[in-house]
Amino acid sequence: MSGAFVVRARRVVLPDGERAAAVHVRDGAVVAVTGFDEAGDQPVTLAEDEVLLPGLVDSHVHVNEPGRTEWEGFASATRAAAAGGITTIVDMPLNSVPPTVNVKALQVKRQAAQGQVSVDVAFWGGAVPGNASQLPRLLADGAVGVKCFLLDSGVPEFPPLDDAGLRTALTALAEVDGLLIAHCEDDDVIAAAPEPGGPRYADFLASRPEAAEETAIGRLVAAARDTGARVHVVHLADAGALPLLRAARAEGVRITVETCPHYLTFAAEDVPDGDTAFKCCPPIREAWHREALWAALADGDIDLVVSDHSPCTPELKRLDVGDFGLAWGGIAGLQVTLPVVWTGARARGRTLTDVVRWMSEAPAALTGLPTKGAIAVGRDADLVAFAPDEEWDVAALHHRNPVTPYAGRHLTGVVRRTWLRGQLLADGDPPRGRLLDRGDR
């Protein structure tokens, strides 16, 4: 369906809250939002048990193409996103080969994605030692920001920044008001911790202690304070870092923070020994961290929730031996992000308006994508028909590889239909996604 049409529902999540409404679409954009009964002739009317949401924006996805397409790839990742109500993803600069650390590599990434994407795709650049002069060029060429690691990334082609390199990168970015997002764990703290290895999850958790996150976040805060640059903490797992982040914001440091569905769902006490599908870095921590992260979302101390979808081949997860030291660290969960978060949110008294703020509005704002993130006049008509009360068990997913800790999990909330810029997405359709630049309108 394209051209001009109207979608109406008794429950529509809008920027000012939830109400009955009719959303008028023309040429892929929202042109009016009216009362439910002002829909005109032959509107698409959602079922009584469905809520109309804006398409989600997942600003933390490792697609891994080119170079490691067997881990995921643009075709499979974006099909999974569409099935999960995610209409825009932002691809991470590492785990692909080449990594996106200069304009040429960004062009290679775009060429790999062209014609394959079922949803819209934007791109992060990467900050590595020696490429600070490239960072403004990456932004000028459309990257939404740049990512760095403050410890070994796990792949040799994307080395970490030390404190001097971090400040050099931030100085270059501050001149163009660019955003740096950082994986915050500290190599020295981890080097002093026990070596990971074997099937016991408790041993893996001990190898990446809370202090590793807190020390690295402290380094990032200090560098941002001194340079005036904008920074963002990815995948916060350690609730003990929240006071540090609150204090930094209170003194004017321009810092935001995200967490992920796996940190909001699982707890270290419940991870089975040997089940390396749960391995990620930073690790899933104890239940008190999970509950404190939920409280921080409710209080506004955490800004957004994104998947950090980081899959690999089943062989690299080493389920054959169940060794947390040997397994690749990353959680696959792109397609189930919305129902996973909603299942946890409703159990804690949160609303779909909260979920939309965390998973659509805030990621769109972070990445500078002004036509995304809300059902509002002038925005893209990215829409999701969501049944928030329907229950189901996770089974086959569109991800290229099947290993996920969500397998078999009982969830609440089903994505029934997804529209991208006014076009209904269905299995078997040709790819309709676009490649986006920062600030695209």
Side-chain angles (χ1 to χ4, degrees):
M1 182 181 298
S2 59
F5 70 103
V6 179
V7 183
R8 69 176 182 174
R10 292 294 179 184
R11 297 177 63 190
V12 182
V13 176
L14 299 166
D16 58 353
E18 183 184 302
R19 67 174 188 272
V23 179
H24 301 248
V25 176
R26 185 182 303 121
D27 298 329
V30 177
V31 294
V33 180
T34 65
F36 181 87
D37 295 323
E38 302 172 69
D41 294 334
Q42 297 183 319
V44 176
T45 303
L46 267 56
E48 288 296 317
D49 67 337
E50 294 177 341
V51 183
L52 190 66
L53 309 178
L56 302 189
V57 178
D58 191 336
S59 58
H60 196 145
V61 179
H62 293 269
V63 175
N64 307 324
E65 186 175 6
R68 292 188 176 95
T69 307
E70 68 275 13
W71 292 16
E72 186 61 271
F74 285 104
S76 56
T78 57
R79 283 196 301 269
I86 298 164
T87 50
T88 304
I89 67 170
V90 189
D91 174 54
M92 282 290 162
L94 75 158
N95 300 342
S96 55
V97 180
T100 316
V101 296
N102 53 49
V103 168
K104 182 178 180 180
L106 179 57
Q107 292 168 348
V108 169
K109 182 72 71 97
R110 283 203 181 100
Q111 289 165 3
Q114 192 68 46
Q116 289 204 76
V117 297
S118 296
V119 300
D120 289 351
V121 178
F123 301 92
W124 293 105
V128 295
N131 83 328
S133 65
Q134 292 289 319
L135 304 183
R137 298 178 201 176
L138 278 164
L139 299 180
D141 205 52
V144 300
V146 298
K147 182 181 186 179
C148 77
F149 272 69
L150 300 183
L151 83 169
D152 179 22
S153 71
V155 291
E157 67 274 5
F158 202 94
L161 296 180
D162 61 16
D163 281 346
L166 174 62
R167 288 165 188 265
T168 300
L170 288 178
T171 298
L173 290 167
E175 293 177 358
V176 292
D177 199 30
L179 173 68
L180 180 132
I181 68 174
H183 181 125
C184 290
E185 291 181 282
D186 186 84
D187 257 334
D188 290 340
V189 173
I190 290 173
E195 284 285 329
R200 292 186 69 245
Y201 185 75
D203 291 341
F204 171 64
L205 183 61
S207 76
R208 300 186 89 98
E210 299 159 13
E213 287 190 73
E214 293 161 24
T215 300
I217 289 171
R219 291 165 52 199
L220 182 67
V221 166
R225 180 191 297 118
D226 292 346
T227 59
R230 290 191 295 136
V231 297
H232 176 78
V233 176
V234 298
H235 51 50
L236 183 71
D238 169 36
L242 289 165
L244 172 63
L245 289 161
R246 288 190 203 101
R249 291 200 216 203
E251 66 174 278
V253 175
R254 296 196 294 166
I255 188 166
T256 50
V257 60
E258 69 189 42
T259 193
C260 303
H262 37 283
Y263 302 129
L264 297 170
T265 301
F266 303 117
E269 297 94 328
D270 303 323
V271 175
D273 287 346
D275 194 344
T276 52
F278 286 85
K279 180 179 177 179
C280 57
C281 300
I284 294 162
R285 301 197 184 279
E286 296 87 351
W288 79 264
H289 287 277
R290 178 186 63 197
E291 299 310 315
L293 294 174
W294 276 111
L297 275 167
D299 293 341
D301 290 324
I302 295 176
D303 302 276
L304 56 148
V305 181
V306 289
S307 69
D308 188 13
H309 179 67
S310 186
C312 65
T313 60
E315 294 77 18
L316 290 174
K317 269 298 185 184
R318 298 309 308 265
L319 290 164
D320 55 335
V321 293
D323 189 319
F324 281 96
L326 297 176
W328 174 260
I331 299 287
L334 179 62
Q335 186 173 332
V336 296
T337 298
L338 173 56
V340 164
V341 175
W342 171 237
T343 299
R346 71 180 291 167
R348 293 165 177 83
R350 309 313 302 180
T351 67
L352 282 170
T353 298
D354 296 321
V355 171
V356 165
R357 184 174 68 254
W358 301 329
M359 303 183 71
S360 187
E361 178 186 334
L366 179 80
T367 52
L369 299 174
T371 66
K372 305 297 184 181
I375 299 174
V377 173
R379 304 287 183 109
D380 289 346
D382 297 346
L383 307 170
V384 177
F386 185 62
D389 300 319
E390 184 176 342
E391 299 182 3
W392 62 293
D393 295 323
V394 176
L397 300 172
H398 289 281
H399 307 154
R400 183 180 295 274
N401 293 297
V403 179
T404 176
Y406 297 110
R409 191 167 185 87
H410 189 71
L411 299 177
T412 303
V414 171
V415 173
R416 291 187 177 160
R417 283 177 285 180
T418 302
W419 292 264
L420 176 68
R421 282 175 278 101
Q423 293 186 302
L424 185 64
L425 302 180
D427 284 348
D429 283 352
R432 292 178 173 149
R434 295 177 181 170
L435 307 184
L436 304 177
D437 291 337
R438 179 172 57 107
D440 265 355
R441 293 187 176 275

